[in-house]
Amino acid sequence: MSDTVKNYIKFISENKTERECVKSAIRMAEKAGYRNIEEFETLTAADKVYTTVYGKAIVLFEIGTNPIEEGMNILCAHIDSPRLDLKMKPLYEKNGIVYLNTHYYGGIKKYQWVTMPLAIHGVIAKKNGEVVEVRMGEEDDDYTFAISDILPHIAQEQMKKSASEFIPGESLDLVIGLNREEEKDAGKNAVLSVLKEKYGISEDDFLSAELEVVPAGRAKYLGLRKDMIIGYGQDDRVCAYTSLEAVLEHKKAKRTCCCILVDKEEIGSVGATGMDSLLLENALSEVLTRFGGCDEMTRIRRTLKNSYMLSSDVNSALDPLNMDLYDEANSSKLGGGIVFNKYTGSRGKSGASDANAEYIAKLRKAMDDNKVAFQMADMAKVDVGGGGTIAKFAAWYGMSVIDSGVSVLSMHAPFEITSTFDIETAKQCYLAFLDME
Ligand code: MN
Ligand code: MN
């Protein structure tokens, strides 16, 4: 198995939140010779820099030898994944069980999240300015958490409801403790004293916290030949990780190479750490200001307009057990290589970013010249559904952008399935893309 696949399994097992991904990305980047852009007064060809946004998004640049206004080659992927966030006042006790109340984030099938081991990852920011990192209930702890469900024996009414209704969002509350009969009032208070001891926090500190409930445990190979991977958050860390590896490994850029790992895609790319913000423009202006000269705004616009981007996000893999949802010839197959989607969106391509034919031709040539296996695909049959990605926010600058990524089976489930061949191919694709002129 290639190092990329092994390191990928380790990465997604250990980094389950956007903050954890950014921290690890910084560690990997610094090892590869990247420095925080704040350390530079001027920049020149071959310099490698990064900048972060609230610890939840990161933008890396490898400065090329060509004038930057001729455009950059940009790899973009997101590092947030569907999950359950703790509410602001999450802790309560009911009939002897202590719960944490949650509010789900992104598109989930709620029934998939009950009766399985769940962990809590995130941060608690205290009034004194200290930010405490929290990681509880993982495989290497001797405890975990879970959400309960009704036993089948008395679930007649529940089973009559539609799948979108039978687990109400408000019932996705995490069991974290018990008030045992022999102890008086020990439930909630006992949980709080464990948290006090472990993290030095009190109940009020939940008010300023970002705590994410995610599936516990590590990613694993799937299948006897270990040719697939099952793990949490492969949408879109499978593209994010391979993009990052490619840009860190890449050498001697002609066109400036850029890698953007962003947050909030799963809820519409909104906010300061999502792609529908000035994040990229702000990062680029930090680069351009270090080249000196004037009229920075024009240079930003020109650079972005002349750039190429792979807006990488996972694609729904053809599911042999549900063929009625897919147009076989226009679907991506698990193990079929990197996927390009000319367009995304739903119904009559609503909300799509539709890539230019000329740009696709250029990509086809780059893939073929470098012997990279690729497939062109739609998400599914016309009118069965769809979704948007971050490509449209890049297209807003006038750059050439296409949706690309790795095929995933059971996307958005707590544990998603990918193919090791596709992961290796994604990295080869990204390396070939970074050399594109
Ligand atoms: Mn995605
Ligand atoms: Mn998604």
Side-chain angles (χ1 to χ4, degrees):
M1 208 54 69
S2 75
D3 282 349
T4 296
V5 168
K6 277 189 222 150
N7 294 336
Y8 169 66
I9 291 180
K10 188 167 159 21
F11 185 87
I12 60 168
S13 298
E14 292 170 1
N15 300 287
K16 297 186 178 180
T17 69
E18 49 290 334
R19 285 178 190 261
E20 288 170 347
C21 287
V22 166
K23 263 195 143 171
S24 291
I26 292 173
R27 240 191 331 262
M28 288 166 62
E30 291 191 340
K31 224 172 129 190
Y34 281 72
R35 292 285 168 269
N36 192 317
I37 197 163
E38 303 296 332
E39 294 176 23
F40 289 77
E41 279 185 8
T42 60
L43 285 172
T44 172
D47 280 341
K48 298 170 169 190
V49 294
Y50 68 83
T51 177
T52 60
V53 189
Y54 294 111
K56 294 185 248 185
I58 183 167
V59 187
L60 304 104
F61 297 91
E62 181 197 2
I63 308 299
T65 48
N66 291 4
I68 194 165
E69 289 99 321
E70 289 181 9
M72 306 183 287
N73 290 7
I74 308 172
L75 295 171
C76 184
H78 70 90
I79 47 177
D80 62 315
S81 296
R83 59 179 191 252
L84 312 173
D85 286 340
L86 293 196
K87 289 194 184 186
M88 293 145 282
K89 294 191 202 167
L91 191 63
Y92 74 97
E93 181 181 331
K94 197 172 182 186
N95 296 340
I97 294 185
V98 187
Y99 293 97
L100 286 170
N101 204 339
T102 74
H103 193 139
Y104 69 96
Y105 171 99
I108 62 167
K109 286 174 153 179
K110 299 182 191 86
Y111 66 82
Q112 293 177 332
W113 289 73
V114 296
T115 68
M116 63 179 298
L118 296 167
I120 301 172
H121 289 228
V123 297
I124 298 176
K126 296 182 8 178
K127 278 200 288 186
N128 65 8
E130 190 192 346
V131 177
V132 187
E133 282 185 39
V134 173
R135 192 174 183 276
M136 290 188 290
E138 274 299 346
E139 201 172 48
D140 41 0
D141 295 326
D142 57 3
Y143 62 91
T144 192
F145 311 107
I147 297 166
S148 65
D149 191 12
I150 304 170
L151 58 160
H153 314 64
I154 58 170
Q156 287 96 322
E157 287 308 312
Q158 183 196 34
M159 299 295 271
K160 281 184 206 153
K161 293 181 185 164
S162 74
S164 62
E165 289 170 335
F166 71 71
I167 303 287
E170 202 52 74
S171 304
L172 287 174
D173 291 353
L174 200 63
V175 176
I176 61 154
L178 200 57
N179 193 349
R180 296 194 295 267
E181 201 53 58
E182 77 275 14
E183 306 169 304
K184 272 208 186 82
D185 194 31
K188 185 176 158 182
N189 290 333
V191 162
L192 280 169
S193 66
V194 173
L195 291 174
K196 178 102 202 158
E197 197 180 317
K198 203 169 159 62
Y199 295 113
I201 57 155
S202 58
E203 188 171 3
D204 280 355
D205 291 324
F206 280 118
L207 293 174
S208 47
E210 286 174 9
L211 295 169
E212 306 178 7
V213 178
V214 295
R218 299 182 66 81
K220 282 195 170 121
Y221 290 111
L222 179 75
L224 284 170
R225 292 171 63 209
K226 298 190 179 180
D227 44 9
M228 291 170 276
I229 289 172
I230 184 161
Y232 166 69
Q234 300 204 70
D235 176 3
D236 182 33
R237 283 164 208 157
V238 64
C239 300
Y241 181 78
T242 44
S243 292
L244 180 65
E245 257 205 6
V247 86
L248 296 185
E249 200 175 296
H250 185 261
K251 286 185 186 76
K252 296 202 180 118
K254 285 189 184 157
R255 284 163 68 90
T256 292
C257 295
C258 172
C259 176
I260 313 171
L261 305 182
V262 278
D263 182 25
K264 298 289 187 286
E265 191 278 340
E266 297 293 357
I267 57 169
S269 296
V270 288
T273 57
M275 233 2 223
D276 190 7
S277 73
L278 289 180
L279 175 153
L280 174 57
E281 215 174 307
N282 287 347
L284 179 60
S285 100
E286 290 298 331
V287 169
L288 288 176
T289 194
R290 285 166 172 80
F291 279 111
C294 52
D295 197 12
E296 202 179 286
M297 221 8 129
T298 307
R299 299 177 73 200
I300 290 174
R301 298 270 180 267
R302 253 183 223 155
T303 307
L304 291 172
K305 181 174 70 67
N306 292 331
S307 290
Y308 306 138
M309 181 189 280
L310 289 185
S311 170
S312 285
D313 206 340
V314 293
N315 193 61
S316 157
L318 181 81
D319 179 355
L321 300 182
N322 291 285
M323 290 298 283
D324 50 328
L325 296 173
Y326 297 87
D327 167 15
E328 194 178 338
N330 285 288
S331 292
S332 71
K333 295 182 182 66
L334 209 60
I338 186 86
V339 185
F340 295 114
N341 312 98
K342 185 177 188 305
Y343 48 83
T344 54
S346 46
R347 299 181 305 281
K349 299 193 180 180
S350 174
S353 167
D354 199 333
N356 289 322
E358 295 86 342
Y359 179 52
I360 297 176
K362 199 184 252 296
L363 282 165
R364 280 176 59 205
K365 182 169 179 351
M367 295 304 114
D368 287 345
D369 289 352
N370 288 281
K371 299 191 170 54
V372 179
F374 72 95
Q375 34 187 350
M376 299 282 300
D378 240 336
M379 188 186 227
K381 266 187 184 163
V382 176
D383 278 342
V384 302
T389 61
I390 50 191
K392 56 178 177 276
F393 306 112
W396 189 74
Y397 291 112
M399 70 176 73
S400 296
V401 56
I402 188 168
D403 281 283
S404 66
V406 170
S407 299
V408 175
L409 256 187
S410 34
M411 190 195 296
H412 278 212
F415 293 98
E416 304 169 310
I417 298 169
T418 56
S419 121
T420 57
F421 173 76
D422 293 343
I423 293 166
E424 287 163 2
T425 308
K427 186 175 166 194
Q428 290 163 10
C429 159
Y430 298 147
L431 281 168
F433 168 81
L434 291 175
D435 281 332
M436 223 166 72
E437 286 178 45

